[in-house]
């Protein structure tokens, strides 16, 4: 049996497409979504050549090192902002289930272990005219990447380094998808938002928002925006972007 067939069998009955190498799993999932893929369908790749991160950044997925996963979901338009929240919560659960401590979410949805990024989320919303077709929840999880001698050496971490032992990528994949399913059941209402807010390590911290504003991260709202109090006591609503602590 090919690896592709084996992985698709492990994930069965979930519709799954596994590839050794792609440009971006999100691109393939967007195509599949447009063709009518059901909720929970997933595209997985061992290696991405043009993996995309937030804010137009590149996301590296070298062969054999990580998980690159894009899950197709069909939320109602009013709760779109909860998709990336539930993605981050699913990854937090994966980390906790492996026995890790020090797991939190840096706003907006970077999952960190003791302050180092282990995973990122890139949701892509797909419209046909005014109609919401669905969302692709792209998840990149560092499993055993080698960040030495890279610009990420200080800021990123892998599951295996954090745990100090090897993990089985297929097991992690299965757990991750189960966790996404479990959180997706709660989309709408306050459950996902409250859990996400509760895991944020950013609140109460001094932050510098990419682009200028400096202040204290005071709270978040239901849309996922961050409210930052600057020294002049003004409150700023930050909807996207990145923050540096301090
Ligand atoms: C971030 O910048 O933190 C988000 C990174 C998201 C990467 C994942 S890997 C699977 C999916 N395919 C992509 O091209 N990007 C996302």
């Amino acid at each position: 049996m090919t690896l592709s067939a084996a992985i698709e069998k492990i994930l069965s009955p979930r519709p799954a497409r596994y590839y050794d190498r792609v440009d971006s799993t999100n691109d393939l999932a967007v195509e599949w979504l447009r063709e009518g893929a059901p909720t929970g369908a997933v595209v997985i790749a061992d290696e991405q050549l043009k993996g995309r991160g937030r804010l137009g950044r590149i996301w590296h997925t070298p062969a054999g090192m990580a998980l690159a996963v894009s899950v197709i979901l069909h939320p109602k338009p009013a709760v779109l902002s909860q998709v990336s929240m539930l993605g981050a919560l699913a990854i937090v659960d994966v980390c906790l289930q492996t026995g890790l401590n020090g797991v939190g979410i840096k706003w907006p949805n970077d999952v960190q272990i003791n302050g180092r990024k282990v995973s990122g989320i890139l949701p892509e919303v797909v419209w046909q005219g005014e109609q919401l077709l669905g969302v692709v929840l792209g998840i990149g999880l560092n499993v055993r990447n080698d960040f030495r001698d890279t610009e990420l050496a200080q800021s990123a971490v892998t599951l295996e380094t954090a745990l100090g032992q090897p993990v089985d990528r297929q097991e992690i994949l299965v757990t991750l998808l189960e966790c996404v399913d479990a959180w997706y059941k709660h989309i709408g209402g306050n459950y996902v938002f409250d859990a996400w807010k509760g895991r944020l390590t950013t609140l109460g911290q001094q932050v510098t928002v990419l682009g200028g504003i400096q202040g204290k991260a005071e709270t978040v709202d239901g849309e996922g925006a961050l409210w930052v109090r600057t020294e002049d006591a003004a409150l700023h609503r930050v909807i996207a972007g990145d923050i540096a602590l301090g």
Side-chain angles (χ1 to χ4, degrees):
M1 192 187 289
T2 63
L3 179 60
S4 161
I7 291 177
E8 287 163 15
K9 190 168 167 216
I10 289 167
L11 297 180
S12 169
R14 178 192 302 274
R17 294 181 178 174
Y18 170 84
Y19 302 90
D20 289 333
R21 180 186 285 166
V22 298
D23 280 345
S24 159
T25 53
N26 267 23
D27 291 346
L28 295 180
V30 167
E31 257 174 54
W32 197 8
L33 170 53
R34 288 195 182 280
E35 289 160 8
T39 297
V42 64
V43 178
I44 305 138
D46 184 44
E47 179 180 9
Q48 292 189 117
L49 299 178
K50 292 185 187 160
R52 283 184 276 114
R54 291 176 58 244
L55 309 171
R57 294 179 184 140
I58 294 170
W59 182 266
H60 297 282
T61 313
M65 298 289 179
L67 283 180
V69 175
S70 297
V71 188
I72 291 165
L73 300 171
H74 295 91
K76 298 217 168 77
V79 295
L80 277 176
S81 59
Q82 292 190 2
V83 170
S84 44
M85 297 176 190
L86 75 86
L89 288 165
I91 297 160
V92 167
D93 283 353
V94 169
C95 294
L96 295 177
Q97 284 184 34
T98 61
L100 282 165
N101 295 312
V103 184
I105 302 173
K106 179 186 171 203
W107 183 89
N109 49 44
D110 287 352
V111 178
Q112 296 186 324
I113 301 169
N114 295 322
R116 289 178 174 222
K117 179 164 171 169
V118 71
S119 176
I121 309 271
L122 183 67
E124 297 198 38
V125 183
V126 183
W127 299 90
Q128 191 163 55
E130 305 264 288
Q131 192 203 345
L132 174 65
L133 289 186
V135 182
V136 166
L137 173 60
I139 299 174
L141 179 62
N142 305 328
V143 178
R144 60 181 71 105
N145 312 48
D146 186 356
F147 292 119
R148 283 172 303 176
D149 302 325
T150 76
E151 78 233 351
L152 301 175
Q154 301 305 317
S155 60
V157 71
T158 69
L159 270 186
E160 291 193 348
T161 308
L163 277 167
Q165 63 183 54
V167 295
D168 180 329
R169 273 194 307 160
Q170 287 184 19
E171 274 175 25
I172 298 288
L173 171 66
V174 170
T175 307
L176 172 62
L177 293 173
E178 284 170 2
C179 292
V180 169
D181 288 351
W183 281 106
Y184 186 63
K185 288 201 179 98
H186 295 288
I187 199 166
N190 290 332
Y191 191 80
V192 169
F193 171 73
D194 288 345
W196 171 75
K197 185 176 175 184
R199 289 278 176 203
L200 283 178
T201 51
T202 310
L203 300 183
Q205 302 275 335
Q206 282 298 122
V207 298
T208 304
V209 181
L210 199 78
I213 302 170
Q214 281 192 325
K216 189 173 169 193
E218 213 161 89
T219 191
V220 282
D221 62 31
E223 296 296 305
L226 182 69
W227 290 78
V228 178
R229 177 87 62 187
T230 43
E231 258 192 7
D232 58 1
L235 204 48
H236 301 258
R237 184 172 188 262
V238 184
I239 51 168
D242 243 354
I243 49 163
L245 297 182

